[in-house]
Each structure stands twice: as structure tokens, then as C-alpha cells.
Amino acid sequence: MSDLVAIVYPSEAKAEEVRQRLLNLQKEYLITISDAVIAVKTDSGGIKLNQLVNTTSMGAVTGGFWGLLIGMIFLNPILGVAVGAASGALGGALSDFGIDDSVMKELSASLHTGNAALFVLIKSMIADKVLKEIKDAGGTVLKTSLDDTREQALRDALASAAERPAA
């Protein structure tokens, strides 16, 4: 079962920095991430989601490939690519995997303008090593599905960065 962790940062850049750290930890097999999304509250009050994977472009590329293949069978590869890319992009735009977008937007509604929330769907992790790598970034826990002990360890680690004076 996966755990959802949402942490608020003062800027999108800080949230992106932590996401990159987590992705590097995944390369070291310390954490397995299903999805990592940054939600930013815009000046107009809306929520912008910065997905890890752009499903629209992935769908367009995949659809274009299959459209080319089928178009060659019917001796019209240009039309096949166009139709395949368009239908793939539409399918990609309508698909959603990982963390539900509506849940992220609902939780992010309480953010201040310019703040960003990092939503991470974690399959597994070696908690003490992961916390050691991200605790200096600070942040405030918005929501988790971790058990009480692990959630408190996360809150304490992030709070310790806020208590330290900036060098």
C-alpha cells in the first residue's frame, strides 16, 4: 500500500528542489515513488499542478507512433500520424494516474499565494535515511497517510530545520 505525504514550502523552487532530492534518493533505492506533484497557488487564486509526467505529450508521442504504423498499412502515413497524435494527446489529457488531481487541488486551496505543496505518493522507503536527506529543506506537513509514529518523526525532522538559524 502506498502512503501520501503533502508538505508545504514557501516557493515552487524549494518544492522542486526537494522533489529532485527524492528522485535522486529513488535512484539510490532508498525510496520508491509512484507520483510526485507540486501544487502552486497562483496570484489569481487558482491552483497550478506541476506533474512529474505530462500525460498529454506522452499520449501524443505514443499515438503518433501507432498512427504512423497503421497509416503505413493503409498507404497514408502522414494522415495516420496526425490522427494518431491527436487521439493520443486527447487520451493522455483525459487520463490521470497516481494522486487524484481533485484531492490535490482541494488540499492546496488553503495555501497562501506563491506557496507550493509537494505531494508524494510513496510505495516504500527507508525512513531514517530519507528524512536525513530532506530535513534541512524545512517545510510544513499539510497531510499524510502515515501512521502516527512516522508522521510525528517527519514533523519533528522538518521542524528542526525551521528552528535552526540561517547561516
Side-chain angles (χ1 to χ4, degrees):
M1 189 170 120
S2 297
D3 289 313
L4 175 66
V5 176
I7 303 172
V8 178
Y9 292 99
S11 68
E12 184 176 7
K14 191 65 163 176
E16 183 61 43
E17 175 190 326
V18 175
R19 177 165 69 173
Q20 290 308 315
R21 284 188 197 180
L22 291 172
L23 293 174
N24 288 335
L25 291 173
Q26 184 167 263
K27 292 177 187 172
E28 297 175 19
Y29 303 104
L30 296 175
I31 188 169
T32 305
I33 299 172
S34 298
D35 198 9
V37 179
I38 297 173
V40 181
K41 186 141 189 188
T42 62
D43 294 333
S44 64
I47 304 297
K48 179 185 83 167
L49 298 179
N50 180 348
Q51 303 277 355
L52 193 59
V53 177
N54 186 342
T55 55
T56 303
S57 63
M58 291 278 292
V61 169
T62 305
F65 170 75
W66 287 107
L68 174 66
L69 198 60
I70 293 170
M72 290 184 71
I73 292 171
F74 293 108
L75 301 175
N76 198 343
I78 304 295
L79 181 63
V81 168
V83 171
S87 61
L90 179 63
L94 296 175
S95 67
D96 185 26
F97 67 94
I99 307 167
D100 186 18
D101 290 357
S102 62
V103 170
M104 289 186 288
K105 287 182 178 184
E106 180 182 322
L107 288 173
S108 299
S110 64
L111 294 176
H112 296 294
T113 302
N115 284 1
L118 174 61
F119 292 87
V120 184
L121 193 58
I122 303 168
K123 282 186 182 177
S124 65
M125 74 171 162
I126 301 173
D128 57 336
K129 292 186 178 189
V130 172
L131 285 178
K132 187 173 127 184
E133 292 295 322
I134 67 165
K135 72 179 181 181
D136 65 324
T140 306
V141 175
L142 180 63
K143 180 135 179 100
T144 75
S145 63
L146 299 171
D147 61 51
D148 292 338
T149 308
R150 290 173 55 195
E151 181 175 341
Q152 191 57 47
L154 175 63
R155 288 181 187 277
D156 292 344
L158 296 177
S160 70
E163 292 169 1
R164 280 194 314 262

